[in-house]
Amino acid sequence: MESLVSPSLILSLIFVAVGIFIIAKGLVIVRQSEVMVIERLGSFNRVLESGVNIIIPFIERPRPITIIRYVKMGQEYHPVASDETRIDRRETVMDFPGQPVVTTDNVTVSINGALYYQIIDPRRAVYEVANMSQAVEVLAKTTLRSVVGKMELDKLFESRSEVNNAIQAEMEEPASKWGVKLTRVEVQDISMPEEVEEAMRLQMAAERKRRATVTEAEGEKAAAIAMAQGQRESAILNAQGDKESAILRAQGEQESIRLVLSAIGDSEDNKQAVIGYLLGQSYIKALPTMAKDGERVFVPYESSALLGSMGMFRELTGSPEDAVRSSLQRDGLRSGMVGGSGANS
């Protein structure tokens, strides 16, 4: 009985299966933002970009790259290495654990940093360095120790941005040889010994107390200056008021004396009498004030003469006010008589 399957059919099926296998192995789909480094018989051939690509199976193969990532387990970070044939060209973050660093003032701190990098030349990242991610990590750690070791602890806290820029500037040149571009470096956390933290807290409390004392002193100084300026302006205004008041009183007394003299005559005896009267009147007005300051009042000898002149002036002419009033009445009568005579004429 003849066989149902001929040898030619079996051979054809074998060729078809091998062709499908070769096509499946040679057909490579590269996703967006990924590349693959292809070697042909052990040497670099080309870089596959995103899209559908075809390689020759068993002759061409992708070259893997070693990537180290840190995985947090509990409170510690553990490195995990993996060989990947697809190289990610997106920006990648490397969060390496805290590193002990000694500052210039001999304080040991632990700094936890984050490094952002991007592979821009996959060929260099594969062939120029044995382990790209490990090389970048070690470079970041050593550069961090070098930069922080030149600074004091207080300066480190005040200028984190300067530390980040200094680390990035020193890492750019060696990283560019590996086809890696450093986008930025960030210092995440700075841990210090407990005794150093306690000393810094005491220093901060003392600094705040000093600032409060200085602010209070400046406030008291400003208040004292404002009060002194107010008192000065008040004294000036009071002095100006006293001056104007004295001038007005003097002008009033001058006008009063002039009116009295014009009423009784401006002879020398009348002038002496008027002056004596006015002085005695001022003295009598001051006696109640003098009596308030003590139990006894001493009247000087010259006061009797002043009082005598006042009495004599009143006996002769009455008070100065009466003399002025009579003078004004006489002037009025004269003006009336003059007016009447003119009318009769």
Side-chain angles (χ1 to χ4, degrees), residues 25-98:
K25 293 290 291 183
L27 186 64
V28 178
I29 299 177
V30 181
R31 293 181 296 182
Q32 185 70 30
S33 73
E34 291 183 350
V35 294
M36 297 179 66
V37 177
I38 302 299
E39 292 181 341
R40 178 178 294 177
L41 299 177
S43 61
F44 173 77
N45 181 260
R46 66 186 184 277
V47 176
L48 300 183
E49 300 291 341
S50 58
V52 179
N53 298 273
I54 297 176
I55 62 174
I56 302 174
F58 309 110
I59 297 177
E60 296 179 348
R61 53 173 297 180
R63 174 69 180 265
I65 185 173
T66 303
I67 301 296
I68 297 178
R69 296 182 177 88
Y70 283 91
V71 179
K72 188 174 183 180
M73 297 179 181
Q75 299 296 329
E76 297 181 355
Y77 287 88
H78 297 275
V80 177
S82 60
D83 293 335
E84 301 177 1
T85 57
R86 299 175 181 269
I87 301 175
D88 195 343
R89 300 188 65 172
R90 294 176 298 177
E91 188 174 0
T92 306
V93 57
M94 179 184 294
D95 187 3
F96 52 87

Side-chain angles (χ1 to χ4, degrees), residues 279-292:
L279 290 175
Q281 193 176 19
S282 300
Y283 185 78
I284 290 172
K285 291 180 180 179
L287 284 177
T289 305
M290 295 171 60
K292 291 180 181 179

